[in-house]
Amino acid sequence: MSELNNIALKILSNGKGILAADESTGTMTKRLDAVKVPSTAENRLLFRETLFSSSSMSNCIGGVILYDETIKQETSKKDKITELISKMGSIPGIKVDSGAKTLAGSPNEKITEGLDGLRERLKEYHNLGARFTKWRGVYSISRSYPSKLSIYSNAHALARYSALVQESNMVPIVEPEILMDGEHSAKECYEKTSEVIKKCFEELILHNVDLKGIILKPNMILAGNKCKDQIPNEEVAKLTLRCLKNSVPSEVPGVAFLSGGQTETQATENLNLINKYNDSNFILSYSYGRALQQSALKFWAKDINNIEDTQKVFNHRAKMNTLAAQGKWSKELEI
Ligand code: 13P
């Protein structure tokens, strides 16, 4: 088994998933503003250190995606953040793109940037302890979007990124995210997601990326949040599975879904159903940001020094999702 395949499998083993704690300072500031906690470097670290030292890090969270600021910070005990994560039994990762910018040629769409100087930055992150990375391409659905140009150019960037990451001995998370925002139907989401994922794999193969050493991070197949015809969760699960089986090569060891604005329980319930119906060989787990952190953040904001009880809230959410990643979750387990 290759080293990269080993890392990918370890991150997603036994129902484990990924904590996406890689919000940029701007996004984290929005999250902290919403719960009325000042967004200082100290507070951003305190919240994250609280999560990273929770007991669920050893049995539920296989990997943590960090942001550049966090990977360079020290814990209150003067350890490197990556050392804390490794000590807890999880694997540190890092977001390496520099964000989605206006796509020249189709200015209503986005292209993710960050390839310039990436080889050097990857070396630095590897030295800091990162063993996997993330890059997110973002697409929205409307009558004429996503365009071929955005599908092609984001797939190309994801593939160039992945090749560089594997060259640096890390596992790339390939994240093409079709946003939930909009009036589109679940059928349109299914069609566009399939097209986007297929193009990504075409480019990954062209760039000689080892598919056994990546993790795919897609959206689930959902109707847009402004669509009148919402579909039942069972249908979300079945369409998501069908889409993956038709567009993801079988060498890919694992898929870790993003939550994309679903509520915490919705994201858990859908993941559980996906695993109940899973008749593929893919490991199907989670790489959630909001759906893992929301209630912990709200609870923490009431008293930012109440570490222990905040960790209980986070541990519960992590446990629910790890059960869901094995198809073993049920509503009664929620408190
Ligand atoms: P959400 O789960 O909040 O969508 O975040 C996941 C993520 O990493 C988006 O890039």
Side-chain angles (χ1 to χ4, degrees):
M1 199 193 300
S2 77
E3 189 193 337
L4 297 183
N5 181 247
N6 216 351
I7 295 172
L9 290 175
K10 203 166 160 199
I11 293 172
L12 301 178
S13 63
N14 306 320
K16 285 185 188 175
I18 298 169
L19 166 62
D22 60 326
E23 298 87 356
S24 64
T25 302
T27 304
M28 196 58 192
T29 299
K30 269 191 233 154
R31 304 263 191 272
L32 291 175
D33 284 352
V35 294
K36 301 194 167 49
V37 173
S39 180
T40 58
E42 240 174 24
N43 285 343
R44 291 192 289 273
L45 177 64
L46 179 58
F47 179 63
R48 285 163 166 160
E49 191 180 337
T50 301
L51 303 187
F52 304 164
S53 45
S54 303
S55 60
S56 52
M57 289 289 291
S58 31
N59 46 20
C60 302
I61 305 296
V64 180
I65 317 173
L66 300 166
Y67 180 60
D68 182 74
E69 176 186 68
T70 323
I71 201 170
K72 293 172 180 165
Q73 283 172 323
E74 277 185 347
T75 68
S76 49
K77 297 200 176 85
K78 303 282 167 228
D79 287 325
K80 284 201 310 196
I81 280 287
T82 48
E83 281 166 3
L84 167 65
I85 293 169
S86 308
K87 204 171 68 192
M88 295 302 295
S90 187
I91 299 180
I94 179 80
K95 185 230 300 281
V96 301
D97 66 64
S98 52
K101 309 283 160 61
T102 301
L103 174 61
S106 185
N108 291 325
E109 298 187 282
K110 304 271 188 219
I111 177 71
T112 302
E113 294 188 349
L115 289 168
D116 285 356
L118 182 56
R119 182 177 271 132
E120 292 69 34
R121 284 193 293 126
L122 290 172
K123 202 166 169 198
E124 186 191 358
Y125 289 139
H126 191 275
N127 286 339
L128 285 166
R131 291 297 173 265
F132 72 102
T133 65
K134 179 187 116 171
W135 179 290
R136 171 177 173 260
V138 56
Y139 316 78
S140 43
I141 303 183
S142 64
R143 195 183 302 205
S144 31
Y145 302 123
S147 66
K148 292 269 179 239
L149 175 62
S150 105
I151 295 175
Y152 176 82
S153 50
N154 276 296
H156 179 80
L158 277 161
R160 284 195 57 203
Y161 139 82
S162 299
L164 282 162
V165 170
Q166 289 194 337
E167 183 193 89
S168 305
N169 290 316
M170 293 188 278
V171 170
I173 291 187
V174 176
E175 180 180 7
E177 175 177 8
I178 303 231
L179 297 172
M180 249 169 90
D181 309 321
E183 294 176 2
H184 56 270
S185 64
K187 182 171 175 279
E188 284 170 297
C189 179
Y190 176 90
E191 283 163 4
K192 293 302 170 189
T193 304
S194 304
E195 189 181 349
V196 161
I197 293 179
K198 281 180 186 161
K199 188 49 130 183
C200 285
F201 281 105
E202 210 180 294
E203 287 290 318
L204 289 166
I205 291 165
L206 185 67
H207 286 77
N208 296 320
V209 171
D210 173 10
L211 299 185
K212 292 195 181 78
I214 71 158
I215 293 173
L216 178 70
K217 176 164 172 168
N219 50 283
M220 294 178 191
I221 305 300
L222 300 163
N225 54 9
K226 295 196 190 88
C227 173
K228 284 181 219 85
D229 298 318
Q230 294 294 321
I231 57 168
N233 294 335
E234 281 75 14
E235 200 59 24
V236 169
K238 286 178 186 166
L239 285 175
T240 303
L241 274 170
R242 198 193 309 157
C243 170
L244 295 176
K245 283 198 293 182
N246 290 338
S247 41
V248 183
S250 58
E251 295 96 304
V252 174
V255 171
F257 295 100
L258 57 95
S259 61
Q262 299 180 71
T263 64
E264 289 183 337
T265 39
Q266 206 183 358
T268 304
E269 186 164 359
N270 283 333
L271 180 64
N272 188 59
L273 286 168
I274 289 171
N275 277 287
K276 276 204 156 156
Y277 296 133
N278 186 11
D279 54 354
S280 74
N281 289 325
F282 300 126
I283 299 175
L284 303 172
S285 190
Y286 58 92
S287 174
Y288 292 165
R290 286 162 286 179
L292 265 177
Q293 299 182 64
Q294 238 155 35
S295 41
L297 181 66
K298 267 193 199 153
F299 185 90
W300 174 75
K302 288 190 269 177
D303 173 4
I304 63 169
N305 295 309
N306 188 353
I307 308 292
E308 214 180 299
D309 291 325
T310 302
Q311 290 180 335
K312 282 186 191 149
V313 178
F314 176 67
N315 287 337
H316 172 73
R317 214 54 262 140
K319 188 174 168 200
M320 293 300 103
N321 285 307
T322 283
L323 287 171
Q326 301 166 93
K328 293 180 183 165
W329 173 87
S330 68
K331 262 201 184 89
E332 298 72 56
L333 297 170
E334 295 288 347
I335 14 174

